[in-house]
Amino acid sequence: MIRTTFAALALALAIPAATPAQTSSAAAQSPFTFEEVMVPMRDGAKLQTVILRPRDAKGPLPILFQRTPYGVPGGPLAAVPKGWEALAKDGYIFVFQSMRGRFKSEGVFTLSTALSDTGPDEATDAYDSIDWLVKNVRGNNGRVGMWGISYPGFAAAIPLAKPHPALKATSPQAAWIDYWQNDDLHRWGAARLSYITDWVYLLQADKTNAEFTYDTIDTYDFFLRAGSLADIEQRYIKGKSALIRDLIEHPDHDDFYRRQRWSDALGKTSVPTLNVAGYWDQEDPWGSWQIFAKQRQNDPDNLSQLVVGPWAHGTWSRPGEHELGPIDYKVDSSTRFVEKMQAPFFRYWLHGKGARPVGLVNSFQSGSWVWRRYDQWPLAAAKPTALYLRADGSLSFSAPATGEACRTYVSDPANPVPFRARPISPTYPRPEWRWWEAADQRFVGGRPDVLSYVSAPLDADLTVTGAVLAELQAATSGTDSDFVVKLIDVFPDDHEKLDNNAPLGTYTTQINGYQLPIAMEVRRGRYLADDAKPAPLVPNQVTRWEVPLRDHDHVFKKGHRLMVQVQSSWFPVIDRNPQSFVPNIAKAKPEDYVRAEQKICAGSKLMLPVVR
């Protein structure tokens, strides 16, 4: 039996993992004193809260507060975790809290992001907690900052909708705003099947971190046999997750999701905010961008910033990070972030020391591997430039002639395209999950149901900075369909010199000819016209498909080639489209899944924001 193991998850997200209480001698050697309290909320529920106070504290200190569903420290820390050494040098009272209904905290954990007029909700729980902390934690200076990655990142963001006066700074990292549009649970209405199963079960099967059990080492096989999301719920989840049941009953972008879009409540930006995102974040690449954009709509004091780089989920918090998957770019980007960006941000706003952080967007640009500071976004210098998919399999900045032929392939739900090389291990703890969005796409190159379009080698560097959009002219013989579009940087065959004298048994990933994904996304056909009212496609009718590929900052180097791949499945990270229109894909039956001929026709293109 294969079990998902989440013991390393908390540390991966810069949260001290829950551990048994240490001995008194170990506690005496800890850099922090340890205190566990139950903090009351406005409805009477009490939340498990751990207070770590520096032993050498001199004078009042600000509080750095993190709320999490993954568990809090169970005893004194033996040392300062590496990810927040730079913060600890400035001096903070670190506070960690188990969210409502998790571990020892009272109440029910719903995973809801909805705001309530009266509470309780995640914003009021944060407000009530901050209010209690500044009044009851000895030695604090009345200033509170929040921080966190992923769920703790969302928990650091939602208080912006109802900020306590003592909240003086927050850093939501890999946060989210909409369960249907993007990030953890869906991509434009296409359900993230394996992640829903792993992650939502983890959080709702019991009050601690539950483990989902697989009966195979290859989850591709498991999900292919298991069927639809409703089948998985009935056979394996068995009512242990209320959210999974809700996802099944709400396949469309209806009020269930819209009322949870907490960011709609954001008004004038009043709390300094350091949003953080990763271009290769395999879990939450979108939400922090949207929070930043929403804040910038009413930000007269320029309090909102964004830091973004070539990082997977949370890797910016690990000092020493200098790799994009197997590609070593030889720049310690994460140490620069934690020491030169995150620490000075909190130092200025919570301690009142140092210079005010500068730069609207600070981006560690991939390809060139240098830091860029942008004082506007999108860039005025970035010109929308069409890159056309041609019938001969090439890419060109020149439009095709009228009447150019379509390219076709057959999509078979019984043999969907895997999202990474098989065998596909569970989401955690295997390392394949962390960097799958940077994985070499040559693993699908021989499949007849994946179309590849390749440019000639570039004769000069090509810089793409801003939002990338695919516009397909596509058709299907079915009545529903998905299209997945990938923009890829193809490295030259002689990119690096191979060491033919390496010791026997030495193995390194072959970077020569590497196909590095820069942007990848899926679009579900039933929602092309209206994301709340699905409609069948007209068989064999060429239709314009917009596939948003998010914001990026990448230099395609001279001698590299551009590649675009198009396919109709991405399994099991995305659930299979039956390719016949059914009222609810989450409840599709085996007979609903049919083969379909797919066509990509003249005029299909990517719009690239090219900086000349």
Side-chain angles (χ1 to χ4, degrees):
M1 304 295 280
I2 309 300
R3 300 177 66 85
T4 58
T5 302
F6 292 84
L9 177 60
L11 285 175
L13 301 179
I15 307 161
T19 57
Q22 299 178 2
T23 65
S24 58
S25 59
Q29 297 172 7
S30 173
F32 303 101
T33 62
F34 175 90
E35 181 182 5
E36 183 173 324
V37 296
M38 298 296 288
V39 175
M41 301 294 103
R42 63 188 62 186
D43 66 337
K46 296 180 179 179
L47 305 188
Q48 178 193 20
T49 306
V50 164
I51 302 167
L52 303 178
R53 186 180 290 101
R55 289 189 178 277
D56 59 356
K58 296 179 178 63
L61 294 177
I63 293 170
L64 206 50
F65 180 35
Q66 185 168 120
R67 306 187 66 241
T68 174
Y70 298 118
V72 298
L77 301 183
V80 177
K82 189 175 181 181
W84 30 293
E85 285 178 338
L87 294 168
K89 289 178 182 177
D90 289 329
Y92 295 94
I93 301 169
F94 291 95
V95 177
F96 297 89
Q97 182 179 81
S98 290
M99 299 172 81
R100 179 180 291 264
R102 294 293 290 164
F103 292 85
K104 297 179 184 178
S105 288
E106 299 171 354
V108 177
F109 183 67
T110 64
L111 281 89
S112 174
T113 63
L115 298 173
S116 167
D117 291 336
T118 59
D121 57 41
E122 295 298 352
T124 63
D125 281 355
Y127 188 103
D128 295 348
S129 298
I130 292 172
D131 194 68
W132 188 94
L133 291 171
V134 295
K135 292 175 181 177
N136 293 277
V137 174
R138 61 181 173 82
N140 83 85
N141 69 359
R143 297 179 180 180
V144 177
M146 295 191 70
W147 64 319
I149 301 169
S150 195
Y151 217 120
F154 154 74
I158 196 170
L160 292 168
K162 303 176 182 179
H164 190 282
L167 181 62
K168 301 301 183 182
T170 188
S171 182
Q173 304 177 14
W176 62 79
I177 66 166
D178 192 307
Y179 275 153
W180 191 92
Q181 283 190 294
N182 215 287
D183 294 325
D184 288 306
L185 301 183
H186 291 88
R187 294 293 171 89
W188 305 108
R192 299 196 73 196
L193 183 64
S194 57
Y195 197 68
I196 288 171
T197 304
D198 283 344
W199 181 65
V200 179
Y201 183 90
L202 160 79
L203 292 173
Q204 282 202 315
D206 58 40
K207 290 192 66 172
T208 59
N209 295 333
E211 296 180 357
F212 186 83
T213 301
Y214 290 98
D215 58 5
T216 175
I217 62 169
D218 190 350
T219 61
Y220 181 100
D221 285 337
F222 172 87
F223 285 106
L224 199 59
R225 294 196 313 266
S228 68
L229 184 58
D231 292 331
I232 292 169
E233 200 288 325
Q234 182 180 15
R235 297 175 188 172
Y236 301 101
I237 310 298
K238 299 180 180 179
K240 293 181 180 180
S241 169
L243 180 57
I244 290 179
R245 293 198 302 270
D246 285 337
L247 297 178
I248 292 168
E249 297 304 325
H250 297 275
D252 311 322
H253 201 202
D254 61 14
D255 285 344
F256 171 76
Y257 299 103
R258 295 181 189 276
R259 67 174 178 262
Q260 296 193 61
R261 195 179 176 99
W262 63 270
S263 59
D264 290 346
L266 294 176
K268 178 182 177 181
T269 302
S270 59
V271 179
T273 306
L274 184 67
N275 295 288
V276 184
Y279 291 121
W280 278 266
D281 189 329
Q282 75 281 24
E283 297 178 33
D284 300 291
W286 185 76
S288 288
W289 285 92
Q290 305 308 307
I291 297 167
F292 170 72
K294 178 68 174 177
Q295 288 183 306
R296 290 295 299 164
Q297 292 175 9
N298 189 359
D299 188 14
D301 299 320
N302 293 315
L303 297 177
S304 181
Q305 295 179 280
L306 175 70
V307 179
V308 62
W311 302 312
H313 194 60
T315 59
W316 53 84
S317 68
R318 301 183 180 92
E321 189 74 35
H322 55 88
E323 295 175 328
L324 174 58
I327 298 170
D328 188 349
Y329 50 80
K330 298 180 172 60
V331 179
D332 187 349
S333 60
S334 54
T335 297
R336 168 72 177 269
F337 166 70
V338 298
E339 294 184 355
K340 304 300 183 182
M341 297 178 182
Q342 179 175 260
F345 170 80
F346 285 118
R347 184 183 305 137
Y348 180 81
W349 293 111
L350 299 183
H351 284 279
K353 298 179 180 179
R356 177 170 172 164
V358 296
L360 180 67
V361 176
N362 287 286
S363 171
F364 186 65
Q365 185 180 68
S366 53
S368 67
W369 313 116
V370 297
W371 281 97
R372 302 289 186 189
R373 171 184 160 185
Y374 301 117
D375 291 320
Q376 62 173 193
W377 195 277
L379 306 187
K383 304 302 181 185
T385 304
L387 178 67
Y388 291 95
L389 283 60
R390 304 297 295 270
D392 62 359
S394 67
L395 290 173
S396 173
F397 289 106
S398 300
T402 302
E404 186 173 88
C406 303
R407 294 182 72 190
T408 66
Y409 62 94
V410 174
S411 173
D412 185 357
N415 184 27
V417 181
F419 77 98
R420 69 180 199 239
R422 298 178 62 186
I424 298 175
S425 57
T427 300
Y428 296 101
R430 295 292 302 163
E432 299 92 349
W433 171 256
R434 179 178 297 168
W435 285 114
W436 75 262
E437 284 203 349
D440 190 344
Q441 296 302 293
R442 284 179 286 194
F443 82 97
V444 296
R447 289 186 63 111
D449 51 358
V450 178
L451 295 183
S452 294
Y453 300 80
V454 188
S455 75
L458 295 172
D459 56 12
D461 290 357
L462 178 72
T463 300
V464 173
T465 303
V468 178
L469 176 68
E471 299 179 12
L472 300 182
Q473 297 294 328
T476 177
S477 63
T479 51
D480 199 0
S481 180
D482 289 351
F483 281 107
V484 177
V485 180
K486 309 173 188 175
L487 172 63
I488 297 167
D489 184 343
V490 182
F491 285 44
D493 288 344
D494 60 352
H495 176 74
E496 64 180 10
K497 184 177 181 180
L498 299 180
D499 182 4
N500 294 321
N501 296 314
L504 192 64
T506 301
Y507 174 78
T508 58
T509 300
Q510 175 62 268
I511 301 299
N512 288 342
Y514 198 91
Q515 295 178 4
L516 173 66
I518 304 304
M520 303 189 289
E521 194 52 276
V522 61
R523 189 76 193 273
R524 184 145 282 180
R526 61 177 42 223
Y527 298 120
L528 286 180
D530 191 327
D531 58 15
K533 298 178 181 178
L537 302 174
V538 178
N540 301 310
Q541 177 176 293
V542 176
T543 303
R544 181 174 180 270
W545 291 61
E546 284 195 356
V547 186
L549 293 172
R550 298 193 299 273
D551 288 76
H552 300 273
D553 189 14
H554 181 74
V555 178
F556 295 87
K557 299 296 289 183
K558 179 181 178 180
H560 289 222
R561 292 178 292 161
L562 281 73
M563 173 184 283
V564 173
Q565 287 182 342
V566 180
Q567 58 200 58
S568 289
S569 50
W570 215 14
F571 190 73
V573 73
I574 297 296
D575 64 338
R576 292 174 299 155
N577 191 313
Q579 302 182 156
S580 64
F581 184 83
V582 294
N584 186 341
I585 288 178
K587 298 181 180 180
K589 303 301 181 186
E591 60 270 20
D592 296 326
Y593 295 88
V594 299
R595 290 161 56 96
E597 183 182 68
Q598 314 289 70
K599 295 181 180 180
I600 305 299
C601 298
S604 296
K605 60 189 176 183
L606 265 63
M607 297 302 299
L608 304 179
V610 174
V611 179
R612 301 295 182 184

